């Protein structure tokens, strides 16, 4: 039962978007813990953290479906519905990539990460954590922009998007050097394959964050 | 005359049912945006709306009403008291049923158009097509398009102005305080003018346009300045969300006016026909105008208040689920557009409905990018119901009239 006129106001997709971004941010921590645990030889909790990420991913998926399922045809929003869905997809891909990289690690629990690659590996992982966490901030600030349409607020969002682009570039460079080191130092072909693929999946986390930023740029375009 | 008393009792029941429906369907017009902005709680909104509707109905509401609203049907159909009583009863019930149905479908319709349509149905049955004033009916049809369009434009422009002048600048609160007299002034200007032109009490005072404008300008200037002094004092401490806090107050004032005017204007939709039956039962004849006893107005106002209370119950259920909340600047734009549209259109002689104008206001702000999600699709459904209002209540009224004629 609803009330006349109030039926015109429907659930805002933006609050869902923010909720989704929060899930993505939460996953950053579990992802980092899992990766560190994988590298540390005596840590037995890798699986536990991986499961945490899997759980967050499925929760985020539910939010994604809820958002998509609750925008009826003809919904009037400050942004294009298509752009919103594209953004959501990229934001969701960030989580998927984090989960994928942990899955990939789990396929080869032994012998773990070669010691001479550890330093570069952690640099690479750290470089993708920041963009994951930045997404939530971007959504919150963008929401504020749609409230006041202020120039400063728009610049703030654009600044975050610009930051994401730079972070992706950094991550790219680190991925590059990690791959180079792998070929230089590792002789075992299986390990090389495992490491190269791992670097690519982790690197894609930053790619998707950047793509999300690009979609956001389109949404805040005048 | 036991039959007449039986008719009168039925009249009271149907009249109360109609008033109750007016409350349930129309409370949203004044209170929806205020509740959606969380300016006041639902309980407060229900209480304020109920009290103001009773006051509006009893004290500002018309004590002399046209027997047939908007003069769409010739009063010739009322010459035979027996037919007139049955016809008015049928019209009252038909209109109430239609409004009930729309409320159940959660679509805002015009209660005035419902009673107009129902009277047409009865008129056609009693006197043929010639009793209907088709020109006036065309004006009703035009209002379906003109009032929402007008309201969309005003809401759109108002919201853009607020964004441009206040929200988007570096220190919005300071700017809002500076412009406060302007916004409060404009609000009171519309409220005072509406009060003088729109409400039956204002019409009894019979102030001409120039004088009314003068009064409105003086009062709104005064209110603008005092409003600034008062609001500066209450809002200043929590300046973090100061702009919305300011507009929250203006919005509540506006919503109160809408509730009051609604009680004053819409009570006649339920009580007008009841008064006709009342006089037919008591005296056996009725003219083109009928004076409404105060206790009937109070009766109607109470009926509206009961409808509001039930609607309030439903709003609580709705808000339990998550809906997009409006900010106060948005809510203000919606209310302002609705009130201005109703004022301007009725000054031009159009039978506009607050429901129609309120829907337009929400759309206008939505089009300006002010609302995170508006269901545009439902608008087509709402418009369909507006168009259906007149024929649906007309046909229902015909059917009820036929049935009652067979019985009595």
């Amino acid at each position: 039962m609803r009330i006349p006129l109030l039926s015109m106001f429907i659930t805002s997709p933006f609050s869902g978007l923010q909720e989704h971004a929060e899930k993505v941010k939460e996953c950053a921590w579990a992802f980092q813990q899992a990766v560190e645990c994988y590298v540390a030889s005596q840590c037995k909790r890798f699986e536990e953290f991986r499961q945490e990420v899997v759980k967050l991913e499925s929760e985020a998926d539910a939010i994604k479906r809820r958002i998509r399922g609750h925008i009826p045809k003809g919904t009037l929003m400050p942004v294009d519905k298509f752009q919103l869905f594209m953004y959501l997809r990229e934001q969701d891909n960030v989580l998927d990539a984090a989960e994928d990289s942990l899955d990939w690690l789990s396929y080869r629990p032994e012998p773990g990460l070669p010691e001479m690659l550890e330093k570069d590996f952690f640099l690479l992982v750290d470089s993708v954590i920041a963009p994951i966490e930045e997404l939530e901030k971007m959504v919150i600030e963008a929401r504020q922009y749609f409230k006041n349409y202020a120039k400063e607020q728009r610049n703030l969002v654009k600044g975050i998007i610009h930051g994401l682009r730079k972070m992706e570039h950094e991550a790219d460079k680190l991925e590059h050097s990690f791959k180079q080191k792998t070929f230089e130092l590792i002789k075992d072909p299986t390990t090389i394959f495992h490491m190269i693929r791992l670097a690519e999946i982790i690197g894609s986390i930053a790619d998707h964050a950047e793509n999300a930023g690009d979609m956001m740029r389109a949404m805040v375009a005048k | 005359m036991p039959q007449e008393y039986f008719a009168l009792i039925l009249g009271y029941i149907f009249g109360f049912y109609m008033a109750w429906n007016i409350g349930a369907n129309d409370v949203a017009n004044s209170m929806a945006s205020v509740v959606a902005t969380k300016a006041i709680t639902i309980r407060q909104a229900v209480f304020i709306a109920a009290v103001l509707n009773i006051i509006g109905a009893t004290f500002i509401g018309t004590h002399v009403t046209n027997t047939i609203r908007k003069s769409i049907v010739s009063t010739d159909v009322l010459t035979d008291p027996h037919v007139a009583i049955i016809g008015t009863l049928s019209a009252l019930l038909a209109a109430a049923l239609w409004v009930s149905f729309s409320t159940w479908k959660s679509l805002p319709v015009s209660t005035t158009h419902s009673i107009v349509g129902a009277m047409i149905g009865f008129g056609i049955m009693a006197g043929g097509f010639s009793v209907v004033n088709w020109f006036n009916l065309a004006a009703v049809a035009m209002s379906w398009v003109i009032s929402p369009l007008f309201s969309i434009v005003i809401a759109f422009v108002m919201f853009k102005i607020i964004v441009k002048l206040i929200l988007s600048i570096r220190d919005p609160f300071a700017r809002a305080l500076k412009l406060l007299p302007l916004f409060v002034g404009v609000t009171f200007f519309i409220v005072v003018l509406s009060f003088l032109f729109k409400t039956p009490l204002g019409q009894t005072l019979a102030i001409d346009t120039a004088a009314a404008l003068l009064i409105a300008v003086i009062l709104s200037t005064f209110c603008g300045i005092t409003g600034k002094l008062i609001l500066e004092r209450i809002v200043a401490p929590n300046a973090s969300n100061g702009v919305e806090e300011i507009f929250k107050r203006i919005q509540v004032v506006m919503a109160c006016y809408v509730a009051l005017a609604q009680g004053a204007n819409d009570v006649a939709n339920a009580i007008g026909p009841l008064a006709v039956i009342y006089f037919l039962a008591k005296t056996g004849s009725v003219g083109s105008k009928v004076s409404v006893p105060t206790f009937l107005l109070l009766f109607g106002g109470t009926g509206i208040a009961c409808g509001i209370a039930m609607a309030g119950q439903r709003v609580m259920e709705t808000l339990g689920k998550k809906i997009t909340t409006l900010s106060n600047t948005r809510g203000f734009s919606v209310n302002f557009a609705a009130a201005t549209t109703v004022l301007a259109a009725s000054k031009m002689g159009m039978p506009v409905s607050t429901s129609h104008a309120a829907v337009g206001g929400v759309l206008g702000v939505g089009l300006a990018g002010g609302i995170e999600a508006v269901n545009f699709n439902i608008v087509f459904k709402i418009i369909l119901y507006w168009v259906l209002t007149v024929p649906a209540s007309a046909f229902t009224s015909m059917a009820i009239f036929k049935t009652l004629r067979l019985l009595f």
Side-chain angles (χ1 to χ4, degrees), chain A residues 2-14 19 73-78 143 146-150 152, chain B residues 28 106 108 163 167-168 170 311 314-315 322 324 326 330 359 362 366-367 369 371-378:
Chain A
R2 288 181 297 182
I3 187 101
L5 207 66
L6 273 182
S7 53
M8 289 178 77
F9 302 111
I10 47 181
T11 317
S12 164
F14 288 90
E19 234 179 281
K73 213 172 176 180
T75 300
L76 190 61
M77 293 184 291
R143 240 185 136 181
F146 292 120
K147 285 205 171 76
N148 63 15
Y149 291 96
E152 284 88 26
Chain B
S106 82
V163 166
L167 291 178
S168 69
R170 209 177 284 272
R314 279 215 221 160
V315 183
K322 273 205 303 193
T324 305
L326 285 176
R330 275 87 173 153
V359 168
V362 174
L367 283 171
I371 305 174
E372 286 187 338
V374 183
N375 191 349
F376 207 102
N377 238 16
I378 207 161

Side-chain angles (χ1 to χ4, degrees), chain B residues 12 17 47 162 181 191 237 240 242 306 317 320 339 349 368 371:
Chain B
Y12 276 117
Y17 179 46
F47 182 74
I162 292 175
V191 167
S240 63
C306 291
E317 287 164 25
I371 305 174

Side-chain angles (χ1 to χ4, degrees), chain B residues 247-266:
Chain B
F247 277 94
K248 185 199 265 186
R249 267 74 181 197
I250 309 180
Q251 206 199 341
V252 171
V253 170
M254 197 130 217
C256 287
Y257 158 72
V258 176
L260 198 68
Q262 209 161 47
N265 289 315
D266 290 355

Side-chain angles (χ1 to χ4, degrees), chain A residues 49-60:
Chain A
F49 288 121
R50 190 174 78 89
Q51 285 311 321
E52 175 71 19
V53 172
V54 171
K55 194 185 111 220
L56 285 169
E57 200 274 338
S58 73
E59 282 169 6

